[in-house]
Amino acid sequence: MLHDLFNPSVQHALDLVGIFVFAISGALLAVRKNFDVFGMAVLAEVTALGGGLFRDLVIGAVPPAAFTDLGYFLMPLVATALVFFLHPEVERTQTAVNVFDAAGLGLFCVTGTTKAYDYGLGLTSSAVLGMATGVGGGVLRDILAVEAPSLLRWDRDLYAVPAIVGATIVVLSIRFDVLNAYTSGIAVLTAFVLRLLAMRYHWRAPRAWNRRSSTRETEKATAQ
């Protein structure tokens, strides 16, 4: 089904673009953490390929695409080299990087959902795994960098929600037998636009109702 939606060469090019921008975000975090070049490369690889690797292992698509396509492995190294030599300039283009990252999120949640369904998962499981494809690399990146994953932090703009919305559009299209390049494009665009709006207007998920503790109180308790 996946190969019926997009020309393979177009699909491959889109994958590489998504991998590249995800890798940029991983390498930039490594710079902020004062990691050496090896640490930068590790975070770049994990951020770019972690979600797809997790998906492929879950659905039994082995060896995973990350290990069978040399381009998938080399693209994060290209991103690492770019950040290593030009990280001040890359930092100044962070807005553009965020836009491409949002596009990669939209693309990966859709292709991840479709691939999971191709391998026999149900609609709900496919949507969940599609979301994991889009956000999984970022979670692994933050864990390796000894940070609370951005996905779980209330003070970060919505990230998983756009991915699950995009994945849901895909499974609904499958359910009603209307999945094609156009509906897939709508799913990608919806996730992309939602992520951009979340960044623009700082949309965040609600916290527990009638919370008694504040962030400051929590920090004091942790310090004690």
Side-chain angles (χ1 to χ4, degrees):
M1 181 182 296
L2 181 59
H3 299 293
D4 295 335
L5 298 178
F6 303 103
N7 181 286
S9 61
V10 172
Q11 177 65 45
H12 189 258
L14 292 174
D15 283 346
L16 290 178
V17 171
I19 286 170
F20 180 77
V21 295
F22 280 171
I24 289 285
S25 70
L28 284 174
L29 178 59
V31 171
R32 297 184 194 115
K33 287 287 187 174
N34 204 29
F35 288 4
D36 62 16
V37 65
F38 180 76
M40 292 172 61
V42 169
L43 280 198
E45 292 281 359
V46 165
T47 307
L49 304 176
L53 180 62
F54 173 75
R55 175 204 62 212
D56 288 349
L57 291 176
V58 169
I59 64 179
V62 292
F67 292 97
T68 59
D69 190 313
L70 186 61
Y72 287 5
F73 178 78
L74 292 179
M75 189 58 73
L77 299 182
V78 173
T80 299
L82 181 67
V83 173
F84 182 81
F85 290 107
L86 300 173
H87 68 85
E89 288 76 10
V90 175
E91 284 278 15
R92 284 196 288 270
T93 63
Q94 185 62 49
T95 299
V97 172
N98 287 340
V99 171
F100 283 109
D101 181 87
L105 177 71
L107 174 68
F108 282 7
C109 73
V110 169
T111 58
T113 302
T114 309
K115 186 170 183 178
Y117 186 77
D118 278 346
Y119 274 76
L121 267 64
L123 294 178
T124 301
S125 299
S126 296
V128 171
L129 199 52
M131 179 196 70
T133 303
V135 306
V139 172
L140 293 174
R141 173 202 63 206
D142 293 342
I143 291 173
L144 288 178
V146 197
E147 288 196 349
S150 299
L151 186 69
L152 306 179
R153 292 179 56 174
W154 70 270
D155 59 338
R156 297 298 175 90
D157 302 330
L158 293 178
Y159 196 76
V161 171
I164 197 62
V165 169
T168 300
I169 293 174
V170 173
V171 296
L172 288 175
S173 298
I174 294 172
R175 172 65 180 81
F176 294 104
D177 198 26
V178 293
L179 183 65
N180 51 47
Y182 299 105
T183 53
S184 296
I186 290 171
V188 171
L189 184 62
T190 300
F192 172 63
V193 171
L194 281 177
R195 174 58 181 160
L196 291 183
L197 290 174
M199 291 189 293
R200 173 66 177 82
Y201 296 105
H202 302 297
W203 291 347
R204 293 165 184 171
R207 291 185 286 171
W209 189 255
N210 290 330
R211 291 178 67 253
R212 293 185 178 181
S213 62
S214 65
T215 302
R216 184 175 300 174
E217 291 170 347
T218 302
E219 291 175 350
K220 287 181 179 179
T222 302
Q224 293 174 353

